[in-house]
Amino acid sequence: MTLGFGDYLSLLGAEALLTGLALLMIMIGLFTKNKNLMGYLSLAGLVASLFLVMGADMTKGSIFYGTMEVDALSQFFKLVFVAVALIVVMAALSRYKDSPAQDEFYVLLLFATVGMMVVASSIDIVTLFIGFELASLSTYAMAAFDREKQNLEAAMKYFIFGSVSSAMMLFGFSLLYGLSGTTKLAEIAAASVESMGPATLVALLFVVAGFGFKMALVPFHMWAPDTYEGSPTIVTAFLAAGSKKMGFVAAFKVLFIALVALSFEWYMAFAILVAITMTLGNVVAIWQKSVKRMLAYSSVAYAGYIAIAFVVVGAANSGGLDLAVAQNGLASGLMLILGHAFMKTGAFIAAAVVGYMALSEGRKNPDDLEQYAGLGRRAPITAFCMLIFLFSLSGIPPTAGFIGKFMLWGSAIDSGLVWLAVLFALNSALSLYYYLRVIMYMYVREPAGAKIAEPKGYVLAMVAALVVVLWIGVFPQAFVDFAYSAAAVLLH
Amino acid sequence: MYQDYAYLIVGLPILAFVLTIFLGWHLPKGGGFITVLATFAGFILSFGIFKEIYPNDEIVHQSMHWFASFNAGILIDPLAIVMLLMVTFVCTMIHTYALGYMEGDPGMARYFAEAGLFTAAMLGLVFSDNLLQLFIFWELVGLCSYLLIGFWYRKPSAASAAKKAFLVTRVGDVMFLAGIILLYTNMVKLNLVLPEGAYLLQFQTIYDSLTLIPPDQLTWIAVLLFGGAVGKSGQFPLHVWLPDAMEGPTTVSAMIHAATMVTAGVYLVARMFPLFYAAPNGLMIVAYVGAFTALFAATMGLVMFDIKRVLAYSTVSQLGYMMAGLGVGAAMGAFSVGVSMFHLIGHSFFKALLFLCAGSVIHAVGTNDMREMGGVLKHMKWTGLTMLAGSLTLAGFPLTTGFFSKDEIIVTAYEHGAMGFGWLPYVFAIVAALLTAIYTFRLWFLTFDGEARSDYHKHESPWIMLGPLVILALFALFMGMPTQENFYHYVGNNFEHYGVDFDELAVIGGHHVEHAAHVHEPFIIKILPIIIGVGGIIIAALFYSRWKRFDPGMVTSEGDPLRKILLKRYYQNEIYTLWFAEKVVYGIALVSNMIDLKIIDGTVNKISAISVGFGGSLRKIQTGVIQNYLTAVVLGLAVLLILIQLASMGVAI
Amino acid sequence: MIDNAISLMIAIPLIAAVVAFLNGKAAKYVALIGSLVPLAISLQMFQEFDKTSNAMQFVESYDWVPAIGVKYTVGVDGIGLPLILLSTIVSILVVVYSWGEEKRSNQFFALLLLNEVGVLGVFTALDFFLFYIFWEIVLIPMFFLIGIWGGPRKDYAAIKFFIYTHVASLIMLLSIFALYFSYRTPEGLRTFDMLTLLEATGDSAIFSPMLLNVIFIGLLFGFLVKMPAVPFHTWLPDAHVEAPTAGSVLLAALLLKMGGYGLFRIVMPMLPNVSTHYITLMAIIGVVSIVYGGFLALSQKDLKKMVAYSSVSHMGYVLLGAGALSVLSVQGAMFQQFSHGLITCVLFMSAGTIQHTAGTRIISELGGLADRMPKFAVLMMAGFMASLGLPGMCGFVAELSVLAGSYENLPIYVLITIFGGIAVTAGYHLWAMQKVMFGPILKKYLDLKDPHSYEILSMSILVLLIIYFGVQPATITDIMGVAAEPLVEPFIAVAATGVI
Amino acid sequence: MVPLVLYVLLASAMFTIGLYGLLTQRNGIKLMMCVEILLNSANINLVAFSAYLPNANGQVFALFSIALAAAEAGVGFAILIVLYRLYGTIDLDNINALRW
């Protein structure tokens, strides 16, 4: 089937639009003084691409010589990426209002988004790598955007860790290419089934290292707390919600397409990794005084939760593939990814509001838990949104976080990994401790200052995230269906 | 016609309770007359019913479904009607007396409300047609007792005594409840096909199924039910609350702790007499406990100086007689129910009288301590004389009511011995009779005779108090002789209404007597109670009256261990309160608390502390140095490689 | 009857909660109306309820998330209806009792209403998903009630309460999943439908005994923590001590009942299919809770903590009755839930009133309050008497039913309960009563007066209800008896063989 | 023709050297260089494999990767420059304010 230009436009219209917009904005940025316009431009572009993504035809198959594909899986993730970018842009409208370099922020953000979307669509390791790097490079710069000391430290760690991981991943890809003679994921998978050797294993591990870095799985997570804490908060939101999910989609594609072939019980090794990840994330998060860092560790824990999906698929595959179980597991993982994207973005943006508030009052440690004292009265909307996001993160119904965890618990039980499900449950309960502590500060402690005017952009962003979180929580049907069809794509 | 309104016997006092508790504050005398009227109306109703059923030897039975397999109902048979008459009559007297006695107390309305509630509960207890309902009212009278003992709740000793009374009787109630449950379960197991309107715990059903229940179960049930009676009727070893209960107003002591409530235990045993009769060893336990209590309490009555306490121990002792009277029924069959109930009724009159007289004295003199009285007769003629009447009958002076009733119990106890069921009850009873006469007149002489030993107020009580005294005194002296024989038969034949076959039950109970011939008592046995009663009075007179010949000091001295042990009341307080309640029970409670905090909650906290502490050490890995992070990645990769390699070789991880 | 009565009953407090939250001034009036309507609906439901049927009534069912077999299904039967009545009654009385709450009153009343939403949802949900959602939602208002209006250690108590019970909920949830994934409908679909799944547990082809036993343990654990039963009770005293009065009342009167409800709704229908050892286990835990809880209460110095432990003790009867498996005992256990719900309200309200009038709850620091607070003293006394099982009040009926019904199957346990529990129960109630109310009034309390009329009013209504249901228990026990029959039926043969 | 294994060995050696450097060096620039070595080891692999395989995918991949490496170096140096301005050093051991 040959595709015309119109088809390309309809399939990759969103990417094209965003890339074009980003380039255009660079140009405009050179010639205009009033850069506040940029935010609205990118807002409009993202809204438009949201519709383009939703409107894309998912039946056309692959494009660009079989390197990219538009299907339920890719569109699922693209929706997440665009929506997260949209929310971050809303927050940035307030954050970088009147800032002279704000055009660069939006451009980087759009490029990063495009990179992620490319990863979501790619079915070839070359495009995958390119998309991955595009997103990474943009976010390296974003992490350092405010040029404060801790931004730079964060960016430096992020950059070095990220580039090492990329290099490892590339090395792994090169080995895979050498072993299978192709760069197409499907063909790599087919070849792996035939010849499975130690070299394949090594290759896979290097690839895992690359994705594990983005996903922030133990032991590849170590950059995450530092970078999340040190970056500008809305960038952190984007990293946690967007960039991290890119790691997952890449891992889904490579690990499943290429690794479903592995017949032995590799999933147990992964299960241990998952168990360590979530436990470490939670127990260390308890100790954090900085809410941002706490959320960062919570993000690590979430990486562990979501990665249960891999384990479930592995378990479902251990004795001949049980499609229903595997699909269930994948769909559950996708639902949790979806939920996590929005609640984490929202939570970080709320943290940004608090940081903004604390800084404007000239306090030290703007992210410290103490700043949240009495937030319920100082900034009621922020506090309420934060409340819902935290409940969602802890898996209290009826929220997106609950639906995701709920399904994931179910699929873990379904695949017979009862110990993992119980550990997951205990971890989830443990995580309540630090989420509730923030809530206690917000609603129980006496406020340390007067009521503040909450910046409109932030409020818009948080409310948008809130609506999505509750919407998924109360009417999950459409999302669940979407997740199931996305999962079906991966499992053919 | 009266029987259609039987429910009003309970209903009216409840109405009085509601009215006085809400409106009493605004009425003169706290609305006490409402309670008096309600109780008196109850008496009229009871009397009317009595007149209706007595001639034809009928019973009244009404019943309705309550919940599950339980019912609520009214049963008025000979046993119940005599109690109803007594309770309504005595309560009317006492309530009337209280109108004067409680005059001026700010809590008067509360008093009459609670008294009304008590009356209702007591009457409800009496005419219950099933064991559960009896238990419910049983508990309610306990509640009223608690409330009324603690009537002067500002007094710590009153509050404490109230609590003690409730708790100690509660121990008995717990056994009672266990007995009911045991009985109920045994009846359920029989899978009886009940006729329409019949329920498992109805007395009729119970009587009918006694022969079907295993005898060992019967014994357990009997013991447990008797446990309830022991608590309520102040039998050894649960008698300790009764003397303390004297902290309440004297009218309360008269009403609850002498005339009515404390006899509920006796009533229960009488009501369940067929069960006790059928239970092997059931009656024997009753007989021994009763007789021992009679003696045991009498010994303490000898040395007390608090006028009410003497009467309280006397009550315990007399209740022991009643129990013993029932217990010796092994020899006499259902006749002993009549005997015991007769003593119960008579005792109610004269003990109420004695308490009310004591109250009158206390009211006037302003102290309870007999050592500060003396010579009161000069100032309170009516009180003194009525109290003399009461004392005579309590001491068993010939031809008074108490003489007939107690004499009959002693004689029955003799037959119990003579027929080979054991002599001990008789011995205890006869010794206790002597002591009774002594302490009774010790009390009377110390109070009314001799010279005033302190400067007390001297005035006679008003007629609203004296009136009931006189009426009760007449009954106490003269009720016995004319009614005695009829009473024995009327009440003794109570169970014929239910078709209880005592011979059959006796076989189960193991005290079947082949030749049920009447044992003939020797003449000396017949007159011994008279000798003892009169002798006791004389002994008391020799020690304590104006014709004093001996000094108590000649018999006993300060250092006398026997006297000490009696004054210390056999160290009951030390054992029950200080040791058992405060050391054992509270000790267990403290240990439980320790376990809860340290072990159970400690484990929970430990788990959380461990997980949190784990995080505390784990976070140190995050050194902030990028090279260390990279090292972790490389190490992690190596470990993963090994793990997966192992897995691929089929090693189970 | 209006259509969708149950949904309406749940929705109205929810809407009212939002309105109350947003409209600070009128919050309490909104709360009053918002809890009055559900009360009216529940009473009407009670009227129209077919009291002879043990089928689900007023059922509503809609697809919700068909992809994973979730439906919105609600309905009422004899197990749920009494508790719904209890919830609506207690909720409105708590609103009345808290009429004087000034601190953040909009949030306060909104949370009270939200709590009602959750509790009503739990008692009506017939889909495990829905059930779990409501089950968890209930935690939120209670967490805030403790956290915001609580005592000095409120942080600890609130977080402990939340996490402890949440862990239990999660374990329960995992068990629910095990049920869910083991069963497919005849059409080959998954379902969360409660009744379908519970019925399926009888099919040993679907559920191996091993699997079912594990599932059972998980569910039981979830409910035992909520009840709470020894040894999973330690969150309760902490939560109660720190919670404000309204929170304690709701916690003890309604939240604990969720555990018991789960026992009857979910655990007992499974009992015939699992090992009989669990029945013994339930009985043992029940008896230990009764006796040990009683001793714990006796050792407490804080009035409220004492009342809290008395809840542990009283909820033990629910377990005992459920474990004894006779119609009378199960019915009694259900009634114990209902009656404890009413009685404990009075107790906690008493403790709360003492706290805010006298300023302390330490029993030894109080004394002679009856002198200055006669009306309150009467009500508190009534509550205490009801709690110690005085006949004529509903607690007695419940405990009697449990004990009388249990003796046949569990004689030893019943005897231990009677002799170890009842007298001790009387002991601590009377002791506290004596110390707090009686004796000479302490100088520092000379200025006390009877509490506000709304406090007296709500307590009086409760006392009247306690007496009403003590005298006329059949009003509600008949329904319970009908509901108990199917739970007990499978065991009549078993009991006869003496397996238990 | 040089055997493939030699190329792979070379690449592996470079990879190891790069990794060693990453773990031992403190200087930011040196770390950057090590990363470049890692990337280039992969590029050698790609090109070598491509030469032995019937397609040119590997070479294309290598070209992309070189371009990306350049971009990465650009970003990296930019970060290091600003870092140096703020901290006055690019000794990364001392930059550890964010930890635990």
Side-chain angles (χ1 to χ4, degrees), chain A residues 295 302 343 347 383-403 405 409 428 431-432 435-440 442-443 466 469-470, chain C residues 111 114 136-144 162 166:
Chain A
L295 287 173
Y302 256 88
M343 60 206 186
F384 183 75
C385 293
M386 187 67 159
L387 171 77
I388 301 293
F389 296 139
L390 291 175
F391 273 139
S392 181
L393 283 167
S394 20
I396 302 293
T399 55
F402 165 69
I403 299 287
K405 282 188 174 181
W409 273 314
S428 181
S431 71
L432 263 176
Y435 296 132
L436 290 180
R437 203 174 43 183
V438 178
I439 295 173
M440 290 299 259
M442 291 196 304
Y443 282 98
L466 180 75
V469 165
L470 288 178
Chain C
L111 290 170
L114 189 59
E136 289 287 83
I137 279 182
V138 172
L139 297 180
I140 296 170
M142 192 49 60
F143 170 77
F144 281 114
F162 204 123
H166 185 66

Side-chain angles (χ1 to χ4, degrees), chain A residues 355-423:
Chain A
Y356 157 83
M357 182 180 82
L359 280 179
S360 66
E361 290 167 5
R363 296 165 195 266
K364 284 182 189 161
N365 303 328
D367 302 320
D368 196 273
L369 194 53
E370 293 295 334
Q371 311 299 347
Y372 288 74
L375 197 67
R377 268 181 280 176
R378 302 192 63 192
I381 301 174
T382 310
F384 183 75
C385 293
M386 187 67 159
L387 171 77
I388 301 293
F389 296 139
L390 291 175
F391 273 139
S392 181
L393 283 167
S394 20
I396 302 293
T399 55
F402 165 69
I403 299 287
K405 282 188 174 181
F406 180 83
M407 291 179 64
L408 209 46
W409 273 314
S411 52
I413 294 279
D414 194 17
S415 64
L417 292 162
V418 177
W419 68 271
L420 197 61
V422 171
L423 191 69

Side-chain angles (χ1 to χ4, degrees), chain C residues 246-471:
Chain C
S248 283
V249 170
L250 294 176
L251 181 60
L254 304 182
L255 266 60
L256 306 193
K257 304 302 169 286
M258 288 160 52
Y261 174 79
L263 211 61
F264 298 119
R265 168 71 72 226
I266 295 168
V267 163
M268 290 202 62
M270 290 176 67
L271 266 184
N273 313 317
V274 298
S275 163
T276 45
H277 294 304
Y278 291 123
I279 298 166
T280 321
L281 181 74
M282 279 164 63
I284 291 175
I285 293 180
V287 170
V288 171
S289 297
I290 296 170
V291 177
Y292 178 73
F295 276 108
L296 283 173
L298 185 59
S299 69
Q300 298 310 318
K301 298 184 169 49
D302 180 335
L303 185 64
K304 206 169 179 191
K305 208 165 179 183
M306 187 200 89
V307 176
Y309 278 118
S310 90
S311 283
V312 175
S313 182
H314 282 112
M315 290 306 282
Y317 283 95
V318 177
L319 263 177
L320 179 66
L325 289 166
S326 75
V327 173
L328 185 60
S329 75
V330 173
Q331 168 194 325
M334 291 177 185
F335 190 59
Q336 171 74 351
Q337 291 240 85
F338 183 82
S339 85
H340 177 253
L342 294 175
I343 294 168
T344 200
C345 285
V346 182
L347 300 192
F348 278 112
M349 285 176 179
S350 305
T353 299
I354 287 177
Q355 161 80 35
H356 77 72
T357 52
T360 180
R361 293 187 313 243
I362 304 300
I363 296 171
S364 56
E365 292 176 9
L366 294 160
L369 298 189
D371 202 61
R372 287 291 184 269
M373 312 167 85
K375 289 180 195 162
F376 171 69
V378 170
L379 292 170
M380 176 166 163
M381 168 89 89
F384 272 54
M385 286 295 159
S387 182
L388 67 75
L390 189 80
M393 295 171 150
C394 54
F396 169 75
V397 175
E399 287 171 20
L400 174 84
S401 307
V402 169
L403 295 173
S406 306
Y407 187 82
E408 188 173 357
N409 292 340
L410 304 165
I412 305 297
Y413 299 103
V414 171
L415 289 179
I416 294 173
T417 305
I418 293 177
F419 289 106
I422 293 183
V424 173
T425 306
Y428 61 78
H429 281 112
L430 292 179
W431 173 72
M433 198 69 206
Q434 181 200 344
K435 292 283 181 203
V436 173
M437 281 295 165
F438 303 146
I441 185 152
L442 302 182
K443 273 218 180 82
K444 53 185 165 181
Y445 300 130
L446 280 175
D447 297 336
L448 293 188
K449 276 200 289 268
D450 259 326
H452 298 289
S453 52
Y454 46 77
E455 294 175 21
I456 295 284
L457 176 69
S458 47
M459 287 173 74
S460 310
I461 293 173
L462 282 165
V463 168
L464 287 180
L465 286 171
I466 289 170
I467 294 173
Y468 174 76
F469 284 107
V471 177

Side-chain angles (χ1 to χ4, degrees), chain B residues 66 153-154 170 182 596 601, chain C residues 160 233 309 371 407 439 471:
Chain B
W66 186 32
Y153 58 84
R154 293 174 187 82
R170 187 83 180 173
L182 199 55
D596 211 47
D601 202 27
Chain C
K160 183 172 182 177
H233 64 287
Y309 278 118
D371 202 61
Y407 187 82
V471 177

Side-chain angles (χ1 to χ4, degrees), chain B residues 43-107:
Chain B
F43 175 70
I44 304 283
L45 275 171
S46 307
F47 196 72
I49 293 171
F50 176 69
K51 291 301 267 184
E52 281 172 11
I53 63 172
Y54 180 72
N56 306 323
D57 213 9
E58 293 164 348
I59 61 172
V60 177
H61 185 205
Q62 301 158 3
S63 162
M64 62 178 219
H65 179 246
W66 186 32
F67 84 105
S69 50
F70 305 111
N71 74 312
I74 296 173
L75 176 69
I76 302 179
D77 58 3
L79 193 55
I81 191 72
V82 295
M83 284 293 283
L84 285 179
L85 287 169
M86 180 276 283
V87 172
T88 48
F89 179 74
V90 173
C91 284
T92 309
M93 291 296 117
I94 296 173
H95 293 332
T96 313
Y97 176 95
L99 285 175
Y101 185 78
M102 298 302 291
E103 183 76 66
D105 193 292

